[in-house]
């Protein structure tokens, strides 16, 4: 499958899940053969990860593996394509200035789309902290015949990078489920203010909600049903939204994080929840759910991708009902949620 066919299949809303998987597998093996970085999901081994001040930048093999998170890749690519179309209408007199932060070794969320644009339409900047990823991207651009496009590579930390001009579009997918570990929050806070008025940041919104669900039952059902059917099959009780990350507010939220000397951590978005008294609560897991608005109608809901899988709050289980829990988000070198049990039910 060549890159044109891969792009057409991904953008075709009528493509079957099987065809989409084949297209993305084809893209991964094309990129691995040319770029020299093979997908490897073993990122929890932390080998070659870069431990930055604002989170972990996963190693090039693990970043390559993200392409095989199929629904994620398809939704982002369609969202990015729609956003570029909209921006070209909005800013029709000059090439679009695009920054793709955390491009990884395949620039997955933009490179397949280049077949749809002629040289001169887009001025692209691919940024990653890993030089090996940028070297891979350079080989891909040359071999896939994109050398006449204006594409620049930048080795930098997206959490403090300053672009020399205002941007029309920023794309950043530097996250795991529940915004833990990777620096999506800090990347958004640094780059979103560098957009032109009317520019677009992708993703447009990420919401993390706290709820109760039988995750074991969900896992069992996942083996029988497709992951996409999971939401409807699962018993789930929403309790509260504990964090919303949007380009408009991220920098302000981060500036207003409060320091806790006892734990020597910064905290933001602190929410106090009351766990309801309900039948069968001991069988339910406290968990965080992730919902991503990539661009307008292109969204990822729980179970639709690796980065929107529910995450069990191990520190809180088991619950009996009536507990008061303070939930806060801790940015820093390993972003994560923190839970504090304030009061137990009598
Ligand atoms: C989850 S992978 C995603 C790769 C690719 N964009 C995709 O969507 O398939 C995140 C990528 O962002 C890079 N990254 C994470 N944090 C970064 C930072 N602060 N500055 C630069 N690159 C970063 C990692 O090195 C990795 O290549």
């Amino acid at each position: 499958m060549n890159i044109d066919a891969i792009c057409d299949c991904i953008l075709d809303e009528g493509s079957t899940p099987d065809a989409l998987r084949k297209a993305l597998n084809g893209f991964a093996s094309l990129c691995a053969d040319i770029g020299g970085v093979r997908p490897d999901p073993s990122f929890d081994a932390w080998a070659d990860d870069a431990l930055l001040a604002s989170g972990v930048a996963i190693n090039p093999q693990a970043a390559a593996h993200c392409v095989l998170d199929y629904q994620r890749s398809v939704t982002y690519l369609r969202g990015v394509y729609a956003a570029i179309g909209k921006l070209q209408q909005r800013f029709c007199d000059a090439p679009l200035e695009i920054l793709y932060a955390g491009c990884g070794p395949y620039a997955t969320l933009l490179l397949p789309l280049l077949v749809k644009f002629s040289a001169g339409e887009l001025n692209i900047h691919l940024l990653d902290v890993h030089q090996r990823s940028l070297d891979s991207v350079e080989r891909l651009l040359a071999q896939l015949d994109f050398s006449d496009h204006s594409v620049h590579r930048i080795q930098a930390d997206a959490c403090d990078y300053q672009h020399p001009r205002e941007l029309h579009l920023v794309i950043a997918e530097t996250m795991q489920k529940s915004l833990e570990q990777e620096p999506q929050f800090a990347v958004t806070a640094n780059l979103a203010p560098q957009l032109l008025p009317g520019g677009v940041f992708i993703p447009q919104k990420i919401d993390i909600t706290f709820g109760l669900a039988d995750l074991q039952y969900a896992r069992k059902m996942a083996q029988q049903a497709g992951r996409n059917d999971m939401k409807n099959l699962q018993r789930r009780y929403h309790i509260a939204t504990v964090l919303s990350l949007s380009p408009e507010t991220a920098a302000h939220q981060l500036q207003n994080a409060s320091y806790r000397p006892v734990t020597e951590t910064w905290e933001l978005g602190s929410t106090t929840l009351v766990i309801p008294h309900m039948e069968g609560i001991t069988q339910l897991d406290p968990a965080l759910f992730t919902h991503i608005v990539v661009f307008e109608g292109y969204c990822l809901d729980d179970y639709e991708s690796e980065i929107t899988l529910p995450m069990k709050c191990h520190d809180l289980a088991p619950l009996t009902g009536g507990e008061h829990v303070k939930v806060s988000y801790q940015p820093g070198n390993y972003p994560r949620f923190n839970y504090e049990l304030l009061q137990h039910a009598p």
Side-chain angles (χ1 to χ4, degrees):
M1 213 171 185
N2 65 27
I3 191 76
D4 295 74
I6 288 169
C7 180
D8 285 341
C9 175
I10 291 168
L11 293 183
D12 181 354
E13 303 273 349
S15 293
T16 62
D18 195 38
L20 291 168
R21 271 194 297 276
K22 277 190 188 134
L24 287 166
N25 288 340
F27 179 69
S29 53
L30 191 69
C31 293
D33 290 346
I34 299 171
V37 178
R38 299 233 153 248
D40 177 356
S42 61
F43 53 84
D44 49 4
W46 288 42
D48 295 336
D49 289 350
L51 309 181
L52 307 175
S54 299
V56 179
I58 59 173
N59 63 71
Q61 297 95 303
H65 187 74
C66 298
V67 69
L68 304 177
D69 190 357
Y70 301 107
Q71 187 70 17
R72 178 208 78 111
S73 300
V74 169
T75 306
Y76 267 85
L77 277 161
R78 289 178 181 167
V80 168
Y81 187 60
I84 292 176
K86 196 152 239 189
L87 286 166
Q88 283 189 317
Q89 286 170 8
R90 202 174 285 165
F91 302 96
C92 47
D93 51 353
L96 294 183
E97 188 79 1
I98 299 178
L99 176 67
Y100 179 1
C103 60
Y106 303 165
T108 299
L109 308 181
L110 187 58
L111 189 132
L113 302 176
L114 291 186
V115 299
K116 297 288 174 201
F117 300 97
S118 41
E121 278 188 274
L122 312 175
N123 195 20
I124 295 171
H125 306 269
L126 302 177
L127 180 149
D128 206 287
V129 77
H130 290 285
Q131 185 59 45
R132 206 147 60 85
S133 284
L134 297 170
D135 294 343
S136 158
V137 166
E138 184 175 5
R139 289 190 280 274
L140 289 174
L141 291 164
Q143 293 262 338
L144 295 174
D145 237 5
F146 295 129
S147 299
D148 54 345
H149 285 256
S150 166
V151 186
H152 312 270
R153 290 168 304 284
I154 305 159
Q155 199 260 323
D157 181 344
C159 301
D160 54 28
Y161 171 77
Q162 292 299 311
H163 196 69
R165 285 170 297 285
E166 286 184 307
L167 294 152
H168 295 98
L169 175 64
V170 176
I171 306 160
E173 195 282 74
T174 53
M175 66 176 283
Q176 303 281 339
K177 54 183 182 283
S178 313
L179 287 172
E180 297 219 339
Q181 183 179 335
E182 292 190 48
Q184 183 77 29
F185 207 109
V187 169
T188 309
N190 178 46
L191 297 179
Q194 300 185 43
L195 283 168
L196 277 162
V200 171
F201 191 98
I202 282 182
Q204 288 184 304
K205 194 159 192 250
I206 301 172
D207 283 320
I208 312 294
T209 59
F210 179 93
L212 302 175
D214 184 344
L215 298 179
Q216 215 178 348
Y217 171 79
R219 259 195 305 277
K220 223 183 292 165
M221 296 305 289
Q223 283 153 10
Q224 293 163 23
R227 192 194 265 170
N228 290 353
D229 301 328
M230 282 311 304
K231 206 180 165 207
N232 299 328
L233 292 169
Q234 193 195 10
R235 281 192 302 146
R236 191 168 64 133
Y237 304 91
H238 167 88
I239 295 184
T241 297
V242 289
L243 188 74
S244 284
L245 170 57
S246 73
E248 295 78 21
T249 56
H252 181 74
Q253 279 171 284
L254 212 51
Q255 276 154 17
N256 285 289
S258 49
Y259 185 67
R260 291 191 70 197
V262 185
T263 50
E264 296 184 358
T265 52
W266 291 89
E267 281 185 357
L268 53 88
S270 162
T271 314
T272 299
L273 316 165
V274 183
I275 306 299
H277 289 282
M278 57 196 284
E279 211 181 309
I281 191 168
T282 50
Q283 281 140 38
L284 298 176
D285 301 301
L288 294 176
F289 299 88
T290 305
H291 178 84
I292 303 174
V293 179
V294 172
F295 180 69
E296 297 186 342
Y298 295 100
C299 300
L300 288 166
D301 219 336
D302 18 306
Y303 290 100
E304 288 181 345
S305 66
E306 296 287 333
I307 57 175
T308 57
L309 285 177
M311 193 170 80
K312 183 171 170 176
C313 310
H314 289 277
D315 297 358
L316 289 178
L319 291 168
T320 52
E323 295 94 338
H324 291 229
V325 182
K326 189 180 140 200
V327 182
S328 51
Y329 187 64
Q330 294 181 343
N333 57 8
Y334 194 98
R336 64 184 298 270
F337 278 89
N338 183 51
Y339 311 94
E340 206 177 317
L341 221 41
L342 300 177
Q343 178 191 324
H344 276 283

